[in-house]
C-alpha cells in the first residue's frame, strides 16, 4: 500500500506542504513470497522425516496431506491415483471440509473432466499450475465447487512409480498466483520423494511376499520328505544338499 509522508516547509512568507509517496507493495509481495517459500521448505523437511520412518503407503500419503495443510498453510491437499479406466481415485486428502472431492469427478483421460491440473499432470507426466481458477477455461467443470471451498489457484505434480506417473499430488491456495516457479520446484521435489518412497514400500512388500512364499514352499517340501519311507535328498541350484528326510539322515 502507498505510504504518505507530509513535510511542511517555509517558502518566503508562505508555508508549503511537500508530500512524499512511496509504494511498498512490491516489497510486501517479496516478503510474502519469501515467507511462503520458507514455510514450504520447513513443510517438505517434515514430510521427508515422515518418509524415512513410514512403511505404509496409505498412511504416508495421508500424513503428507495433513502436514501440507497444517504446517504448509495450504487449504487443501490430496493424492489421487490413476486407474486403468481413466478415473483418478483419491488415496488421501486433508483440508476438504466442504466436501470438494466428493462433489467432483476427476479423470486423467482426454475427456472434459480430464483437463484439470490433476488429470493433466498424470496424463502428460508434468507439473501443472493454474494461477486463477476463476478465469481458467479448462477448470470450468470444477469452478463452482472450487469457489464454494474458497480455492483460487491450484497446482498438481505427478507422483512417479518406476518412471511413470502413477498418481498426482494436488494442492490448492486461497489466493491467486501462489504457485510460482520456485514454489513449483519445491513441490516437484516433494512429489519425487513421495514417488521414491512409494516404490520402496512396494519393493519391500514384494520381497516380503517372496520370502513368505519361499518359506511356505520349503515347509511343504520338508513335510513331504518326512512322510516318504525311502531316502530323498533335495539339492539347491549349486548342487548342494538343501533338504534330506529322516530315512537319509
Amino acid at each position: 500500500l502507498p505510504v504518505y509522508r507530509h513535510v511542511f516547509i517555509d517558502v518566503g512568507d508562505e508555508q508549503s506542504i511537500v508530500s512524499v509517496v512511496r509504494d511498498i507493495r512490491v516489497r510486501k509481495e517479496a516478503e510474502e513470497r519469501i515467507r511462503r517459500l520458507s514455510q514450504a521448505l520447513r513443510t517438505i523437511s517434515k514430510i521427508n522425516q515422515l518418509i524415512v520412518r513410514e512403511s505404509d503407503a496409505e498412511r504416508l500419503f495421508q500424513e503428507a496431506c495433513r502436514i501440507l495443510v497444517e504446517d504448509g498453510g495450504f487449504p487443501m491437499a490430496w493424492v489421487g491415483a490413476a486407474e486403468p479406466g481413466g478415473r483418478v481415485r483419491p488415496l488421501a486428502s486433508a483440508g476438504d471440509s466442504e466436501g470438494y472431492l466428493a462433489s467432483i469427478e476427476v479423470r486423467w483421460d482426454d475427456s472434459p473432466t480430464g483437463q484439470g491440473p490433476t488429470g493433466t499432470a498424470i496424463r502428460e507426466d508434468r507439473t501443472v499450475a493454474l494461477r486463477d481458477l476463476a478465469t481458467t477455461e479448462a477448470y470450468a467443470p470444477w469452478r463452482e465447487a472450487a469457489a464454494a471451498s474458497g480455492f483460487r489457484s491450484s497446482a498438481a505434480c505427478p507422483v512417479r512409480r518406476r518412471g511413470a506417473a502413477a498418481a498426482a499430488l494436488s494442492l490448492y491456495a486461497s489466493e491467486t498466483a501462489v504457485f510460482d516457479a520456485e514454489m513449483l520446484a519445491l513441490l516437484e521435489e516433494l512429489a519425487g520423494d513421495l514417488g521414491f518412497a512409494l516404490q520402496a514400500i512396494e519393493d519391500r512388500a514384494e520381497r516380503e511376499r517372496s520370502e513368505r512364499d519361499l518359506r511356505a514352499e520349503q515347509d511343504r517340501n520338508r513335510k513331504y520328505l518326512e512322510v516318504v519311507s525311502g531316502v530323498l535328498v533335495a539339492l539347491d541350484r549349486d548342487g548342494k544338499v538343501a533338504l534330506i528326510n529322516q530315512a537319509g539322515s
Side-chain angles (χ1 to χ4, degrees):
L1 297 177
V3 174
Y4 299 90
R5 183 182 179 186
H6 303 294
V7 179
F8 293 89
I9 61 174
D10 292 323
V11 181
D13 296 332
E14 299 180 353
Q15 190 177 58
S16 300
I17 300 176
V18 176
S19 297
V20 179
V21 181
R22 183 162 54 95
D23 194 338
I24 62 171
R25 284 177 294 185
V26 174
R27 191 189 75 187
K28 289 293 185 182
E29 289 173 358
E31 290 174 350
E32 176 62 17
R33 175 173 150 274
I34 292 172
R35 185 197 66 79
R36 284 174 176 162
L37 291 174
S38 298
Q39 186 177 21
L41 280 170
R42 292 193 300 270
T43 301
I44 291 172
S45 176
K46 190 169 183 178
I47 294 175
N48 283 333
Q49 295 174 26
L50 167 70
I51 288 173
V52 171
R53 67 175 184 270
E54 185 54 73
S55 59
D56 181 85
E58 183 176 345
R59 287 198 303 266
L60 171 63
F61 288 142
Q62 187 59 53
E63 279 298 292
C65 290
R66 182 189 64 78
I67 293 171
L68 284 165
V69 171
E70 295 182 4
D71 294 73
F74 297 102
M76 180 180 163
W78 68 290
V79 177
E83 294 194 329
R87 177 175 173 266
V88 178
R89 176 172 57 89
L91 298 176
S93 67
D96 189 11
S97 58
E98 300 297 326
Y100 176 75
L101 284 179
S103 67
I104 64 171
E105 179 187 28
V106 180
R107 301 182 65 82
W108 62 276
D109 53 20
D110 288 323
S111 64
T113 53
Q115 306 307 309
T118 301
T120 304
I122 294 174
R123 184 178 62 257
E124 300 183 6
D125 193 12
R126 64 179 179 90
T127 296
V128 179
L130 300 183
R131 294 172 59 86
D132 190 346
L133 301 182
T135 60
T136 303
E137 185 61 32
Y139 209 78
W142 312 280
R143 185 172 295 140
E144 183 176 345
S149 295
F151 304 150
R152 299 187 65 190
S153 57
S154 178
C157 302
V159 177
R160 299 179 181 90
R161 181 179 56 195
R162 306 192 188 284
L169 170 65
S170 300
L171 297 166
Y172 301 82
S174 55
E175 300 176 15
T176 60
V178 167
F179 301 99
D180 59 15
E182 290 175 298
M183 178 67 77
L184 291 176
L186 293 176
L187 296 177
E188 286 177 343
E189 178 183 346
L190 172 59
D193 292 342
L194 289 172
F196 180 81
L198 174 61
Q199 184 170 322
I201 290 171
E202 292 182 347
D203 289 346
R204 187 183 307 117
E206 181 60 32
R207 285 196 304 271
E208 291 174 353
R209 282 194 297 269
S210 297
E211 291 171 358
R212 286 195 302 269
D213 292 342
L214 178 59
R215 286 194 298 270
E217 184 179 0
Q218 289 175 338
D219 288 341
R220 288 193 299 270
N221 291 339
R222 186 175 293 108
K223 290 177 182 178
Y224 174 74
L225 289 173
E226 296 307 325
V227 299
V228 175
S229 58
V231 177
L232 283 178
V233 178
L235 304 179
D236 61 18
R237 294 179 179 178
D238 297 325
K240 298 178 180 179
V241 175
L243 288 173
I244 185 170
N245 66 345
Q246 290 183 352
S249 58

